[in-house]
């Protein structure tokens, strides 16, 4: 990547690491092309990862085949991670969508059938975009079931507003390339 590293202070780096660690198990996200119901289910399934972004408790419980998680927690982490407000489908949508809101909790079914985990190692590169976004290349290991962990490089695109950083794109593993709508800041020639 023929661009200089974005200058980030230690607090910015820590905030970006916590954001990436929280979102890593979502695997793939693009704010220009996503399904809010699918994203909400993935956040519900990986709720424990998002404790890094909030002091709120997920207040998780399970009753039979129904999982329950605090609406306040999910609403907070969806905003902090993606600047999104999740839908609050009524109870009669549980079968159709796989989740609904009942009182003060998201009720949901399903989840992942195979154990997997992503361990974020380091932020390798950061490139500043013309719109003040930050393109991030980071290393991680991905473990699925009882298989040997796989070392990989992954990418994220983050933006910052008055509430801090949030993810606009996340791609775990695969090729390292700038998103099509990312314009890196070109360094000025020294006089």
């Amino acid at each position: 990547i023929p661009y200089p590293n974005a200058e980030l202070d230690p607090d910015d780096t820590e905030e970006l690491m916590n954001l990436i660690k929280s979102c890593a198990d979502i695997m793939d996200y693009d704010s220009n092309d996503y399904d809010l119901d699918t994203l909400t289910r993935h956040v519900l399934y990986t709720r424990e990862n998002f404790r890094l972004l909030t002091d709120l408790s997920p207040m998780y419980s399970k009753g039979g085949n129904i999982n329950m998680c605090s609406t306040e927690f999910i609403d907070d982490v969806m905003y902090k991670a993606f600047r999104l407000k999740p839908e609050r489908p009524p109870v009669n949508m549980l079968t159709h969508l796989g989740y609904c809101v009942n009182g003060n909790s998201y009720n949901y079914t399903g989840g992942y059938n195979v154990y997997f985990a992503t361990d974020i190692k380091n932020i390798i590169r950061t490139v500043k975009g013309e719109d003040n976004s930050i393109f991030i290349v980071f290393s991680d290991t991905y473990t699925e079931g009882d298989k040997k962990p796989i070392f990989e490089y992954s990418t994220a695109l983050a933006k910052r507003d008055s509430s801090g950083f949030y993810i606009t794109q996340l791609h775990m593993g695969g090729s390292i390339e700038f998103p099509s709508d990312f314009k890196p800041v070109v360094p000025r020639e020294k006089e």
Side-chain angles (χ1 to χ4, degrees):
I1 300 176
Y3 298 94
N5 263 336
E7 293 182 23
L8 300 172
D9 64 37
D11 288 343
D12 289 343
T13 302
E14 181 181 4
E15 184 180 351
L16 287 169
M17 277 295 279
N18 285 339
L19 188 58
I20 292 166
K21 286 178 180 180
S22 295
C23 298
D25 287 338
I26 300 295
M27 305 304 277
D28 199 53
Y29 169 72
D30 184 338
S31 63
N32 297 315
D33 182 24
Y34 69 96
D35 177 79
L36 185 57
D37 292 324
T38 300
L39 179 63
T40 303
R41 282 192 304 272
H42 287 262
V43 171
L44 287 163
Y45 301 158
T46 61
R47 70 194 170 280
E48 291 300 318
N49 296 356
F50 288 90
R51 284 181 177 250
L52 291 168
L53 301 183
T54 185
D55 292 330
L56 297 172
S57 168
M59 298 177 63
Y60 175 77
S61 63
K62 185 173 175 106
N65 292 331
I66 306 293
N67 300 286
M68 290 161 270
C69 185
S70 159
T71 53
E72 186 180 25
F73 176 84
I74 295 299
D75 291 353
D76 188 48
V77 300
M78 287 283 285
Y79 177 78
K80 287 179 176 170
F82 307 106
R83 295 303 184 267
L84 294 173
K85 182 177 181 178
E87 297 290 326
R88 290 189 168 205
V91 174
N92 66 342
M93 295 300 287
L94 177 63
T95 304
H96 178 69
L97 294 176
Y99 78 104
C100 67
V101 170
N102 186 7
N104 293 325
S105 72
Y106 281 93
N107 293 3
Y108 60 102
T109 57
Y112 300 117
N113 296 329
V114 175
Y115 166 82
F116 71 95
T118 310
D119 182 23
I120 307 302
K121 300 297 185 186
N122 293 301
I123 291 178
I124 307 298
R125 289 292 314 273
T126 54
V127 178
K128 190 171 185 173
E130 290 177 356
D131 61 353
N132 285 326
S133 59
I134 304 283
F135 178 75
I136 306 155
V137 178
F138 55 96
S139 60
D140 64 89
T141 54
Y142 174 74
T143 307
E144 187 175 302
D146 56 0
K147 297 176 185 169
K148 186 176 177 180
I150 298 168
F151 180 84
E152 62 187 8
Y153 292 101
S154 301
T155 62
L157 189 63
K159 290 188 178 178
R160 184 196 323 230
D161 62 15
S162 60
S163 299
F165 286 107
Y166 61 99
I167 294 286
T168 59
Q169 291 191 34
L170 176 73
H171 305 290
M172 301 302 294
S175 61
I176 297 173
E177 54 191 46
F178 290 145
S180 60
D181 58 346
F182 178 77
K183 305 282 187 268
V185 172
V186 177
R188 293 182 180 183
E189 295 291 325
K190 293 185 179 176
E191 305 270 330

